[in-house]
Amino acid sequence: MIPDISHHHPVKDWKRLCKDSSFLISKATEGTSYIDPTLRTFVNQCEVNKCYYWLYSFVRKGNELEQAKFLHKTCKSLTGDYFVGYILDVEDNSDAKNVIPALAYLDGLGVKTMFYCMWAQFSKYKSVIDTLPKNCAFWEARYGKNNGEYNSKYPCHNGVDLHQYTSAGKVESLVGNIDLNRVTGEGKSLKWFITPLENVEEKTVKKDKKYYKAIKSYNGDSIVEALKKRGVDSSFEFRKKIAKVNGIKNYTGTAKQNLYLLELMRQGKLIKP
């Protein structure tokens, strides 16, 4: 059983919920200011009961990158050993081009991520789905009859890793109708969803590394322009060198790769080759 919950779903028995769940998902934030009132309790109970968990932002249209940053800012001091990753729950007609850098930002934090959308919005977000980071899962909602049970007659799209198959589930330890999910097994196993990444920044970046100065004031989306503003060689060959020392083995100059490097530079975490 894999429920995803928020303050709308009061918990009657945390021990039972954690025991019966493969892992848990909870809403953490919405937009750039709202914090779910049960967030702290959710995290504490998952840690106490040794239950792996994920936290999501309900993304509103516009400022998607800032919403991802707000999610991390809100949660980073709360999470513990059983935290696996962040999710962008995209249901409010965000532009795909704005979701990609938001995911790249979360991916750069050294945690696993998920992208969530409705079955009917697959085409709208295909460019996002086609460029998901390596450690990002695709989570899709498709209910079919929505009677609380999984029905194979209503399959999700190919490539979906986690399937939300109903919003009318019943769980003894929770109050009300519950969103329930299943691991499809197409690409990522259950083990993947309950295995946190080692913190990439802490494990791989040594103290003697040198970084390019942060460029937080730059609002564009071009790593070439950002490098030029810092007086750095922006040629493709030199960017390949930068990409390599920053964890990209096969740099080809894709939008996803460049946005990832740009976000590192904005944070002052882009390592010099």
Side-chain angles (χ1 to χ4, degrees):
M1 179 178 73
I2 306 168
D4 60 277
I5 62 176
S6 69
H7 68 280
H8 294 296
H9 313 100
V11 179
K12 295 187 291 185
D13 186 339
W14 273 102
K15 287 186 178 180
R16 177 70 182 273
L17 176 62
C18 290
K19 181 180 179 181
D20 292 345
S21 301
S22 299
F23 61 92
L24 289 171
I25 301 169
S26 179
K27 179 178 181 177
T29 60
E30 181 174 333
T32 57
S33 60
Y34 178 84
I35 300 173
D36 192 281
T38 60
L39 172 62
R40 188 178 293 274
T41 298
F42 175 85
V43 171
N44 288 343
Q45 288 296 328
C46 285
E47 293 290 339
V48 167
N49 290 287
K50 299 181 180 180
C51 180
Y52 289 101
Y53 60 97
W54 292 70
L55 298 171
Y56 73 83
S57 167
F58 187 94
V59 179
R60 293 297 184 183
K61 184 177 181 179
N63 299 317
E64 285 80 2
L65 177 58
E66 293 307 312
Q67 293 179 64
K69 290 180 178 180
F70 178 65
L71 172 65
H72 174 56
K73 180 181 178 181
T74 300
C75 300
K76 65 180 180 180
S77 63
L78 301 178
T79 56
D81 294 339
Y82 290 87
F83 171 65
V84 181
Y86 293 121
I87 304 165
L88 293 184
D89 177 350
V90 182
E91 303 179 44
D92 199 32
N93 291 314
S94 292
D95 290 334
K97 65 180 181 181
N98 295 330
V99 176
I100 292 173
L103 272 177
Y105 166 78
L106 294 175
D107 179 65
L109 298 173
V111 297
K112 290 180 178 178
T113 57
M114 274 197 262
F115 168 72
Y116 171 102
C117 72
M118 300 290 190
W119 183 86
Q121 293 185 317
F122 179 84
S123 296
K124 179 179 177 64
Y125 295 115
K126 193 169 187 308
S127 61
V128 179
I129 296 160
D130 288 344
T131 57
L132 291 178
K134 177 182 178 182
N135 289 304
C136 182
F138 177 24
W139 181 18
E140 183 178 72
R142 193 187 188 193
Y143 301 155
K145 292 183 179 180
N146 198 19
N147 58 2
E149 303 291 335
Y150 167 60
N151 191 328
S152 61
K153 292 181 179 180
Y154 301 93
C156 41
H157 285 96
N158 292 335
V160 170
D161 301 298
L162 188 66
H163 176 199
Q164 185 182 88
Y165 59 85
T166 185
S167 62
K170 297 298 181 183
V171 178
E172 288 186 12
S173 50
L174 292 167
V175 177
N177 289 334
I178 308 299
D179 294 342
L180 294 178
N181 306 271
R182 67 181 187 92
V183 175
T184 65
E186 283 197 21
K188 293 176 172 58
S189 65
L190 174 60
K191 184 177 180 181
W192 186 91
F193 287 95
I194 59 173
T195 306
L197 281 179
E198 291 185 337
N199 190 299
V200 174
E201 293 168 357
E202 292 181 0
K203 296 294 182 180
T204 65
V205 178
K206 298 180 180 179
K207 292 182 179 179
D208 60 351
K209 296 289 185 182
K210 294 184 179 180
Y211 302 85
Y212 289 112
K213 186 177 179 182
I215 190 165
K216 296 180 181 179
S217 60
Y218 176 64
N219 295 320
D221 58 4
S222 170
I223 185 63
V224 173
E225 289 182 4
L227 291 170
K228 287 180 178 178
K229 285 182 178 292
R230 283 285 175 260
V232 180
D233 181 0
S234 61
S235 67
F236 178 76
E237 289 303 317
F238 194 72
R239 278 184 281 131
K240 281 182 67 174
K241 294 179 181 179
I242 295 174
K244 185 175 181 180
V245 299
N246 283 277
I248 300 176
K249 294 181 180 180
N250 298 307
Y251 179 77
T252 57
T254 65
K256 181 178 75 170
Q257 292 171 336
N258 287 336
L259 287 169
Y260 174 70
L261 295 177
L262 180 59
E263 189 53 46
L264 289 179
M265 194 169 184
R266 282 200 174 103
Q267 299 177 53
K269 296 177 181 179
L270 188 66
I271 304 170
K272 294 182 179 181

